[in-house]
Amino acid sequence: QVQLVESGGGSVQAGGSLRLSCAASGYTYSRAHMAWFRQGPGKEREGVAAIVTDGSTTYADSVKGRFTISRDNAKKTLYLQMNSLKPEDTAIYYCAADPAWGLGRLLQQSKYAYWGQGTQVTVSS
């Protein structure tokens, strides 16, 4: 079965950096579109960054220039490098997989069939 396991979350001061990882199994990772979403306290889940099979990426405006999504197909792992973190980046971060290339935009939740359990990121001012 498909499994997505996030790691790398934690607490950091504003301006700091964190690197999230998502280990994938149970499907052909290299053929899947992948994305990171987040849900802050009292907020709806939102798309943060996505990467498709050819390595092309897309980002939410709120993280452009600060976050970088990447993938290692050999390791079946997705990454999110987060720099210049702000208190408003505080959220649970989720990894999502779309092996079937579902309909919808890359940062649209409904496109993704599989989700990890999430990892907490807390940024203090």
PDB file of all heavy atoms in Angstrom, residues 7-8 18-23 29 34-36 48-51 57 59 67-82 95:
ATOM      1  N   SER A   7       9.198  13.805   7.771  1.00  0.00           N
ATOM      2  CA  SER A   7      10.101  14.017   8.903  1.00  0.00           C
ATOM      3  C   SER A   7      10.793  15.362   8.716  1.00  0.00           C
ATOM      4  O   SER A   7      10.714  15.963   7.642  1.00  0.00           O
ATOM      5  CB  SER A   7      11.130  12.893   9.001  1.00  0.00           C
ATOM      6  OG  SER A   7      11.926  12.843   7.833  1.00  0.00           O
ATOM      7  N   GLY A   8      11.451  15.818   9.776  1.00  0.00           N
ATOM      8  CA  GLY A   8      12.235  17.046   9.675  1.00  0.00           C
ATOM      9  C   GLY A   8      11.599  18.273  10.285  1.00  0.00           C
ATOM     10  O   GLY A   8      12.211  19.341  10.331  1.00  0.00           O
ATOM     11  N   LEU A  18      14.638  25.032   7.937  1.00  0.00           N
ATOM     12  CA  LEU A  18      14.343  23.626   8.192  1.00  0.00           C
ATOM     13  C   LEU A  18      14.262  22.909   6.854  1.00  0.00           C
ATOM     14  O   LEU A  18      13.925  23.525   5.828  1.00  0.00           O
ATOM     15  CB  LEU A  18      13.013  23.447   8.923  1.00  0.00           C
ATOM     16  CG  LEU A  18      12.964  23.744  10.423  1.00  0.00           C
ATOM     17  CD1 LEU A  18      11.512  23.663  10.909  1.00  0.00           C
ATOM     18  CD2 LEU A  18      13.837  22.791  11.213  1.00  0.00           C
ATOM     19  N   ARG A  19      14.545  21.619   6.878  1.00  0.00           N
ATOM     20  CA  ARG A  19      14.402  20.796   5.686  1.00  0.00           C
ATOM     21  C   ARG A  19      13.481  19.632   6.006  1.00  0.00           C
ATOM     22  O   ARG A  19      13.803  18.801   6.866  1.00  0.00           O
ATOM     23  CB  ARG A  19      15.748  20.271   5.209  1.00  0.00           C
ATOM     24  CG  ARG A  19      15.689  19.561   3.867  1.00  0.00           C
ATOM     25  CD  ARG A  19      16.958  18.786   3.616  1.00  0.00           C
ATOM     26  NE  ARG A  19      17.110  18.403   2.225  1.00  0.00           N
ATOM     27  CZ  ARG A  19      17.892  17.406   1.817  1.00  0.00           C
ATOM     28  NH1 ARG A  19      18.585  16.718   2.695  1.00  0.00           N
ATOM     29  NH2 ARG A  19      17.993  17.116   0.539  1.00  0.00           N
ATOM     30  N   LEU A  20      12.365  19.581   5.322  1.00  0.00           N
ATOM     31  CA  LEU A  20      11.426  18.481   5.484  1.00  0.00           C
ATOM     32  C   LEU A  20      11.722  17.394   4.462  1.00  0.00           C
ATOM     33  O   LEU A  20      12.143  17.683   3.342  1.00  0.00           O
ATOM     34  CB  LEU A  20       9.993  18.965   5.306  1.00  0.00           C
ATOM     35  CG  LEU A  20       9.543  20.130   6.184  1.00  0.00           C
ATOM     36  CD1 LEU A  20       8.062  20.428   5.924  1.00  0.00           C
ATOM     37  CD2 LEU A  20       9.788  19.845   7.647  1.00  0.00           C
ATOM     38  N   SER A  21      11.466  16.157   4.862  1.00  0.00           N
ATOM     39  CA  SER A  21      11.611  15.008   3.967  1.00  0.00           C
ATOM     40  C   SER A  21      10.319  14.210   3.985  1.00  0.00           C
ATOM     41  O   SER A  21       9.588  14.198   4.979  1.00  0.00           O
ATOM     42  CB  SER A  21      12.764  14.109   4.409  1.00  0.00           C
ATOM     43  OG  SER A  21      13.986  14.803   4.395  1.00  0.00           O
ATOM     44  N   CYS A  22      10.071  13.518   2.878  1.00  0.00           N
ATOM     45  CA  CYS A  22       8.907  12.643   2.782  1.00  0.00           C
ATOM     46  C   CYS A  22       9.341  11.374   2.068  1.00  0.00           C
ATOM     47  O   CYS A  22       9.661  11.410   0.873  1.00  0.00           O
ATOM     48  CB  CYS A  22       7.792  13.333   2.010  1.00  0.00           C
ATOM     49  SG  CYS A  22       6.386  12.263   1.609  1.00  0.00           S
ATOM     50  N   ALA A  23       9.376  10.274   2.805  1.00  0.00           N
ATOM     51  CA  ALA A  23       9.761   8.982   2.245  1.00  0.00           C
ATOM     52  C   ALA A  23       8.528   8.280   1.705  1.00  0.00           C
ATOM     53  O   ALA A  23       7.539   8.120   2.427  1.00  0.00           O
ATOM     54  CB  ALA A  23      10.430   8.132   3.316  1.00  0.00           C
ATOM     55  N   TYR A  29       7.241   5.904  -7.677  1.00  0.00           N
ATOM     56  CA  TYR A  29       7.480   7.273  -7.225  1.00  0.00           C
ATOM     57  C   TYR A  29       7.854   8.207  -8.369  1.00  0.00           C
ATOM     58  O   TYR A  29       7.372   9.334  -8.446  1.00  0.00           O
ATOM     59  CB  TYR A  29       8.585   7.270  -6.170  1.00  0.00           C
ATOM     60  CG  TYR A  29       8.961   8.640  -5.686  1.00  0.00           C
ATOM     61  CD1 TYR A  29       8.188   9.310  -4.755  1.00  0.00           C
ATOM     62  CD2 TYR A  29      10.098   9.277  -6.177  1.00  0.00           C
ATOM     63  CE1 TYR A  29       8.524  10.568  -4.321  1.00  0.00           C
ATOM     64  CE2 TYR A  29      10.438  10.537  -5.750  1.00  0.00           C
ATOM     65  CZ  TYR A  29       9.650  11.182  -4.814  1.00  0.00           C
ATOM     66  OH  TYR A  29       9.979  12.442  -4.400  1.00  0.00           O
ATOM     67  N   MET A  34       4.160  15.257  -7.067  1.00  0.00           N
ATOM     68  CA  MET A  34       4.272  15.319  -5.615  1.00  0.00           C
ATOM     69  C   MET A  34       4.102  16.764  -5.141  1.00  0.00           C
ATOM     70  O   MET A  34       4.408  17.704  -5.888  1.00  0.00           O
ATOM     71  CB  MET A  34       5.638  14.809  -5.165  1.00  0.00           C
ATOM     72  CG  MET A  34       5.951  13.377  -5.546  1.00  0.00           C
ATOM     73  SD  MET A  34       4.906  12.174  -4.684  1.00  0.00           S
ATOM     74  CE  MET A  34       5.385  12.456  -2.971  1.00  0.00           C
ATOM     75  N   ALA A  35       3.662  16.914  -3.911  1.00  0.00           N
ATOM     76  CA  ALA A  35       3.442  18.270  -3.408  1.00  0.00           C
ATOM     77  C   ALA A  35       3.542  18.313  -1.889  1.00  0.00           C
ATOM     78  O   ALA A  35       3.431  17.284  -1.209  1.00  0.00           O
ATOM     79  CB  ALA A  35       2.073  18.785  -3.839  1.00  0.00           C
ATOM     80  N   TRP A  36       3.741  19.523  -1.413  1.00  0.00           N
ATOM     81  CA  TRP A  36       3.664  19.818   0.011  1.00  0.00           C
ATOM     82  C   TRP A  36       2.476  20.757   0.240  1.00  0.00           C
ATOM     83  O   TRP A  36       2.293  21.737  -0.498  1.00  0.00           O
ATOM     84  CB  TRP A  36       4.940  20.504   0.503  1.00  0.00           C
ATOM     85  CG  TRP A  36       6.121  19.615   0.577  1.00  0.00           C
ATOM     86  CD1 TRP A  36       7.126  19.482  -0.352  1.00  0.00           C
ATOM     87  CD2 TRP A  36       6.454  18.725   1.642  1.00  0.00           C
ATOM     88  NE1 TRP A  36       8.048  18.567   0.072  1.00  0.00           N
ATOM     89  CE2 TRP A  36       7.666  18.087   1.303  1.00  0.00           C
ATOM     90  CE3 TRP A  36       5.860  18.396   2.869  1.00  0.00           C
ATOM     91  CZ2 TRP A  36       8.291  17.150   2.127  1.00  0.00           C
ATOM     92  CZ3 TRP A  36       6.485  17.469   3.688  1.00  0.00           C
ATOM     93  CH2 TRP A  36       7.681  16.865   3.310  1.00  0.00           C
ATOM     94  N   VAL A  48       1.568  24.472  -0.872  1.00  0.00           N
ATOM     95  CA  VAL A  48       2.804  25.217  -0.665  1.00  0.00           C
ATOM     96  C   VAL A  48       3.703  25.124  -1.896  1.00  0.00           C
ATOM     97  O   VAL A  48       4.145  26.138  -2.421  1.00  0.00           O
ATOM     98  CB  VAL A  48       3.553  24.670   0.562  1.00  0.00           C
ATOM     99  CG1 VAL A  48       4.915  25.340   0.708  1.00  0.00           C
ATOM    100  CG2 VAL A  48       2.720  24.847   1.819  1.00  0.00           C
ATOM    101  N   ALA A  49       3.944  23.901  -2.357  1.00  0.00           N
ATOM    102  CA  ALA A  49       4.837  23.687  -3.493  1.00  0.00           C
ATOM    103  C   ALA A  49       4.544  22.338  -4.102  1.00  0.00           C
ATOM    104  O   ALA A  49       4.125  21.414  -3.408  1.00  0.00           O
ATOM    105  CB  ALA A  49       6.307  23.760  -3.060  1.00  0.00           C
ATOM    106  N   ALA A  50       4.777  22.241  -5.418  1.00  0.00           N
ATOM    107  CA  ALA A  50       4.561  20.984  -6.120  1.00  0.00           C
ATOM    108  C   ALA A  50       5.675  20.769  -7.126  1.00  0.00           C
ATOM    109  O   ALA A  50       6.285  21.729  -7.618  1.00  0.00           O
ATOM    110  CB  ALA A  50       3.206  20.987  -6.813  1.00  0.00           C
ATOM    111  N   ILE A  51       5.917  19.483  -7.431  1.00  0.00           N
ATOM    112  CA  ILE A  51       6.935  19.128  -8.412  1.00  0.00           C
ATOM    113  C   ILE A  51       6.408  17.976  -9.252  1.00  0.00           C
ATOM    114  O   ILE A  51       5.845  17.021  -8.733  1.00  0.00           O
ATOM    115  CB  ILE A  51       8.273  18.778  -7.712  1.00  0.00           C
ATOM    116  CG1 ILE A  51       9.377  18.533  -8.732  1.00  0.00           C
ATOM    117  CG2 ILE A  51       8.119  17.597  -6.764  1.00  0.00           C
ATOM    118  CD1 ILE A  51      10.771  18.501  -8.099  1.00  0.00           C
ATOM    119  N   THR A  57       8.582  22.843 -11.203  1.00  0.00           N
ATOM    120  CA  THR A  57       8.038  23.165  -9.882  1.00  0.00           C
ATOM    121  C   THR A  57       7.071  24.341  -9.946  1.00  0.00           C
ATOM    122  O   THR A  57       7.102  25.151 -10.879  1.00  0.00           O
ATOM    123  CB  THR A  57       9.167  23.517  -8.903  1.00  0.00           C
ATOM    124  OG1 THR A  57       9.915  24.634  -9.424  1.00  0.00           O
ATOM    125  CG2 THR A  57      10.108  22.345  -8.700  1.00  0.00           C
ATOM    126  N   TYR A  59       5.071  27.122  -6.925  1.00  0.00           N
ATOM    127  CA  TYR A  59       5.048  27.532  -5.524  1.00  0.00           C
ATOM    128  C   TYR A  59       3.885  28.480  -5.252  1.00  0.00           C
ATOM    129  O   TYR A  59       3.463  29.256  -6.107  1.00  0.00           O
ATOM    130  CB  TYR A  59       6.346  28.268  -5.164  1.00  0.00           C
ATOM    131  CG  TYR A  59       7.578  27.417  -5.247  1.00  0.00           C
ATOM    132  CD1 TYR A  59       8.322  27.348  -6.421  1.00  0.00           C
ATOM    133  CD2 TYR A  59       8.003  26.661  -4.156  1.00  0.00           C
ATOM    134  CE1 TYR A  59       9.457  26.559  -6.505  1.00  0.00           C
ATOM    135  CE2 TYR A  59       9.131  25.869  -4.229  1.00  0.00           C
ATOM    136  CZ  TYR A  59       9.853  25.822  -5.413  1.00  0.00           C
ATOM    137  OH  TYR A  59      10.973  25.028  -5.492  1.00  0.00           O
ATOM    138  N   PHE A  67      11.246  28.968  -0.146  1.00  0.00           N
ATOM    139  CA  PHE A  67      11.137  27.510  -0.082  1.00  0.00           C
ATOM    140  C   PHE A  67      11.573  26.906  -1.416  1.00  0.00           C
ATOM    141  O   PHE A  67      11.334  27.489  -2.486  1.00  0.00           O
ATOM    142  CB  PHE A  67       9.701  27.079   0.193  1.00  0.00           C
ATOM    143  CG  PHE A  67       9.189  27.391   1.583  1.00  0.00           C
ATOM    144  CD1 PHE A  67       9.885  28.212   2.463  1.00  0.00           C
ATOM    145  CD2 PHE A  67       7.989  26.849   2.009  1.00  0.00           C
ATOM    146  CE1 PHE A  67       9.415  28.491   3.731  1.00  0.00           C
ATOM    147  CE2 PHE A  67       7.491  27.109   3.271  1.00  0.00           C
ATOM    148  CZ  PHE A  67       8.202  27.939   4.124  1.00  0.00           C
ATOM    149  N   THR A  68      12.152  25.701  -1.336  1.00  0.00           N
ATOM    150  CA  THR A  68      12.537  24.964  -2.531  1.00  0.00           C
ATOM    151  C   THR A  68      12.091  23.524  -2.399  1.00  0.00           C
ATOM    152  O   THR A  68      12.473  22.844  -1.439  1.00  0.00           O
ATOM    153  CB  THR A  68      14.051  25.010  -2.753  1.00  0.00           C
ATOM    154  OG1 THR A  68      14.486  26.369  -2.847  1.00  0.00           O
ATOM    155  CG2 THR A  68      14.428  24.277  -4.036  1.00  0.00           C
ATOM    156  N   ILE A  69      11.299  23.064  -3.362  1.00  0.00           N
ATOM    157  CA  ILE A  69      10.882  21.662  -3.396  1.00  0.00           C
ATOM    158  C   ILE A  69      11.810  20.898  -4.332  1.00  0.00           C
ATOM    159  O   ILE A  69      12.230  21.426  -5.368  1.00  0.00           O
ATOM    160  CB  ILE A  69       9.408  21.534  -3.843  1.00  0.00           C
ATOM    161  CG1 ILE A  69       8.918  20.097  -3.694  1.00  0.00           C
ATOM    162  CG2 ILE A  69       9.218  22.039  -5.265  1.00  0.00           C
ATOM    163  CD1 ILE A  69       7.408  19.941  -3.919  1.00  0.00           C
ATOM    164  N   SER A  70      12.134  19.669  -3.951  1.00  0.00           N
ATOM    165  CA  SER A  70      12.977  18.837  -4.808  1.00  0.00           C
ATOM    166  C   SER A  70      12.622  17.383  -4.575  1.00  0.00           C
ATOM    167  O   SER A  70      11.948  17.049  -3.588  1.00  0.00           O
ATOM    168  CB  SER A  70      14.464  19.080  -4.531  1.00  0.00           C
ATOM    169  OG  SER A  70      14.791  18.761  -3.193  1.00  0.00           O
ATOM    170  N   ARG A  71      13.091  16.534  -5.476  1.00  0.00           N
ATOM    171  CA  ARG A  71      12.797  15.111  -5.352  1.00  0.00           C
ATOM    172  C   ARG A  71      14.021  14.304  -5.720  1.00  0.00           C
ATOM    173  O   ARG A  71      14.797  14.693  -6.596  1.00  0.00           O
ATOM    174  CB  ARG A  71      11.607  14.726  -6.240  1.00  0.00           C
ATOM    175  CG  ARG A  71      11.836  14.897  -7.732  1.00  0.00           C
ATOM    176  CD  ARG A  71      10.526  14.755  -8.520  1.00  0.00           C
ATOM    177  NE  ARG A  71       9.941  13.444  -8.343  1.00  0.00           N
ATOM    178  CZ  ARG A  71       8.668  13.149  -8.636  1.00  0.00           C
ATOM    179  NH1 ARG A  71       7.868  14.100  -9.105  1.00  0.00           N
ATOM    180  NH2 ARG A  71       8.205  11.932  -8.465  1.00  0.00           N
ATOM    181  N   ASP A  72      14.175  13.170  -5.057  1.00  0.00           N
ATOM    182  CA  ASP A  72      15.236  12.213  -5.373  1.00  0.00           C
ATOM    183  C   ASP A  72      14.538  10.915  -5.748  1.00  0.00           C
ATOM    184  O   ASP A  72      14.034  10.191  -4.868  1.00  0.00           O
ATOM    185  CB  ASP A  72      16.164  12.030  -4.167  1.00  0.00           C
ATOM    186  CG  ASP A  72      17.360  11.152  -4.487  1.00  0.00           C
ATOM    187  OD1 ASP A  72      17.231  10.226  -5.325  1.00  0.00           O
ATOM    188  OD2 ASP A  72      18.414  11.353  -3.869  1.00  0.00           O
ATOM    189  N   ASN A  73      14.474  10.631  -7.032  1.00  0.00           N
ATOM    190  CA  ASN A  73      13.733   9.449  -7.472  1.00  0.00           C
ATOM    191  C   ASN A  73      14.416   8.155  -7.046  1.00  0.00           C
ATOM    192  O   ASN A  73      13.748   7.146  -6.801  1.00  0.00           O
ATOM    193  CB  ASN A  73      13.542   9.485  -8.980  1.00  0.00           C
ATOM    194  CG  ASN A  73      12.536  10.553  -9.400  1.00  0.00           C
ATOM    195  OD1 ASN A  73      11.717  10.999  -8.599  1.00  0.00           O
ATOM    196  ND2 ASN A  73      12.619  10.972 -10.649  1.00  0.00           N
ATOM    197  N   ALA A  74      15.727   8.164  -6.962  1.00  0.00           N
ATOM    198  CA  ALA A  74      16.448   6.955  -6.548  1.00  0.00           C
ATOM    199  C   ALA A  74      16.131   6.612  -5.093  1.00  0.00           C
ATOM    200  O   ALA A  74      16.010   5.437  -4.729  1.00  0.00           O
ATOM    201  CB  ALA A  74      17.942   7.153  -6.737  1.00  0.00           C
ATOM    202  N   LYS A  75      15.983   7.632  -4.267  1.00  0.00           N
ATOM    203  CA  LYS A  75      15.687   7.416  -2.851  1.00  0.00           C
ATOM    204  C   LYS A  75      14.187   7.446  -2.559  1.00  0.00           C
ATOM    205  O   LYS A  75      13.772   7.236  -1.422  1.00  0.00           O
ATOM    206  CB  LYS A  75      16.386   8.482  -2.004  1.00  0.00           C
ATOM    207  CG  LYS A  75      17.900   8.398  -2.029  1.00  0.00           C
ATOM    208  CD  LYS A  75      18.514   9.446  -1.114  1.00  0.00           C
ATOM    209  CE  LYS A  75      20.031   9.327  -1.107  1.00  0.00           C
ATOM    210  NZ  LYS A  75      20.655  10.352  -0.227  1.00  0.00           N
ATOM    211  N   LYS A  76      13.398   7.744  -3.570  1.00  0.00           N
ATOM    212  CA  LYS A  76      11.943   7.839  -3.403  1.00  0.00           C
ATOM    213  C   LYS A  76      11.599   8.809  -2.275  1.00  0.00           C
ATOM    214  O   LYS A  76      10.785   8.511  -1.391  1.00  0.00           O
ATOM    215  CB  LYS A  76      11.328   6.467  -3.137  1.00  0.00           C
ATOM    216  CG  LYS A  76      11.525   5.475  -4.278  1.00  0.00           C
ATOM    217  CD  LYS A  76      10.843   4.146  -3.989  1.00  0.00           C
ATOM    218  CE  LYS A  76      11.054   3.168  -5.118  1.00  0.00           C
ATOM    219  NZ  LYS A  76      10.402   1.850  -4.845  1.00  0.00           N
ATOM    220  N   THR A  77      12.233   9.945  -2.327  1.00  0.00           N
ATOM    221  CA  THR A  77      12.068  10.926  -1.256  1.00  0.00           C
ATOM    222  C   THR A  77      11.819  12.309  -1.836  1.00  0.00           C
ATOM    223  O   THR A  77      12.447  12.710  -2.808  1.00  0.00           O
ATOM    224  CB  THR A  77      13.311  10.953  -0.354  1.00  0.00           C
ATOM    225  OG1 THR A  77      13.518   9.644   0.198  1.00  0.00           O
ATOM    226  CG2 THR A  77      13.128  11.932   0.802  1.00  0.00           C
ATOM    227  N   LEU A  78      10.898  13.003  -1.203  1.00  0.00           N
ATOM    228  CA  LEU A  78      10.552  14.379  -1.535  1.00  0.00           C
ATOM    229  C   LEU A  78      11.101  15.283  -0.440  1.00  0.00           C
ATOM    230  O   LEU A  78      11.083  14.911   0.738  1.00  0.00           O
ATOM    231  CB  LEU A  78       9.034  14.524  -1.612  1.00  0.00           C
ATOM    232  CG  LEU A  78       8.469  15.894  -1.963  1.00  0.00           C
ATOM    233  CD1 LEU A  78       8.727  16.203  -3.441  1.00  0.00           C
ATOM    234  CD2 LEU A  78       6.977  15.945  -1.660  1.00  0.00           C
ATOM    235  N   TYR A  79      11.561  16.466  -0.827  1.00  0.00           N
ATOM    236  CA  TYR A  79      12.134  17.397   0.140  1.00  0.00           C
ATOM    237  C   TYR A  79      11.463  18.764   0.035  1.00  0.00           C
ATOM    238  O   TYR A  79      10.951  19.147  -1.016  1.00  0.00           O
ATOM    239  CB  TYR A  79      13.635  17.576  -0.107  1.00  0.00           C
ATOM    240  CG  TYR A  79      14.426  16.302  -0.038  1.00  0.00           C
ATOM    241  CD1 TYR A  79      14.806  15.631  -1.205  1.00  0.00           C
ATOM    242  CD2 TYR A  79      14.799  15.758   1.188  1.00  0.00           C
ATOM    243  CE1 TYR A  79      15.537  14.459  -1.146  1.00  0.00           C
ATOM    244  CE2 TYR A  79      15.532  14.578   1.253  1.00  0.00           C
ATOM    245  CZ  TYR A  79      15.884  13.940   0.083  1.00  0.00           C
ATOM    246  OH  TYR A  79      16.606  12.771   0.145  1.00  0.00           O
ATOM    247  N   LEU A  80      11.530  19.491   1.130  1.00  0.00           N
ATOM    248  CA  LEU A  80      11.134  20.898   1.126  1.00  0.00           C
ATOM    249  C   LEU A  80      12.149  21.658   1.975  1.00  0.00           C
ATOM    250  O   LEU A  80      12.170  21.510   3.201  1.00  0.00           O
ATOM    251  CB  LEU A  80       9.729  21.104   1.676  1.00  0.00           C
ATOM    252  CG  LEU A  80       9.213  22.550   1.578  1.00  0.00           C
ATOM    253  CD1 LEU A  80       9.006  22.947   0.113  1.00  0.00           C
ATOM    254  CD2 LEU A  80       7.908  22.719   2.363  1.00  0.00           C
ATOM    255  N   GLN A  81      12.995  22.414   1.313  1.00  0.00           N
ATOM    256  CA  GLN A  81      13.949  23.266   2.010  1.00  0.00           C
ATOM    257  C   GLN A  81      13.273  24.592   2.300  1.00  0.00           C
ATOM    258  O   GLN A  81      12.807  25.271   1.378  1.00  0.00           O
ATOM    259  CB  GLN A  81      15.193  23.492   1.152  1.00  0.00           C
ATOM    260  CG  GLN A  81      16.221  24.410   1.769  1.00  0.00           C
ATOM    261  CD  GLN A  81      16.849  23.834   3.022  1.00  0.00           C
ATOM    262  OE1 GLN A  81      17.217  22.663   3.056  1.00  0.00           O
ATOM    263  NE2 GLN A  81      16.973  24.653   4.068  1.00  0.00           N
ATOM    264  N   MET A  82      13.203  24.947   3.567  1.00  0.00           N
ATOM    265  CA  MET A  82      12.512  26.163   3.985  1.00  0.00           C
ATOM    266  C   MET A  82      13.511  27.112   4.631  1.00  0.00           C
ATOM    267  O   MET A  82      14.105  26.793   5.664  1.00  0.00           O
ATOM    268  CB  MET A  82      11.393  25.817   4.973  1.00  0.00           C
ATOM    269  CG  MET A  82      10.407  24.789   4.441  1.00  0.00           C
ATOM    270  SD  MET A  82       9.007  24.513   5.546  1.00  0.00           S
ATOM    271  CE  MET A  82       9.832  23.775   6.951  1.00  0.00           C
ATOM    272  N   CYS A  95       2.864  15.903   3.100  1.00  0.00           N
ATOM    273  CA  CYS A  95       3.325  15.446   1.798  1.00  0.00           C
ATOM    274  C   CYS A  95       2.150  14.786   1.088  1.00  0.00           C
ATOM    275  O   CYS A  95       1.346  14.093   1.734  1.00  0.00           O
ATOM    276  CB  CYS A  95       4.462  14.438   2.045  1.00  0.00           C
ATOM    277  SG  CYS A  95       4.999  13.502   0.639  1.00  0.00           S
TER     278      CYS A  95
END
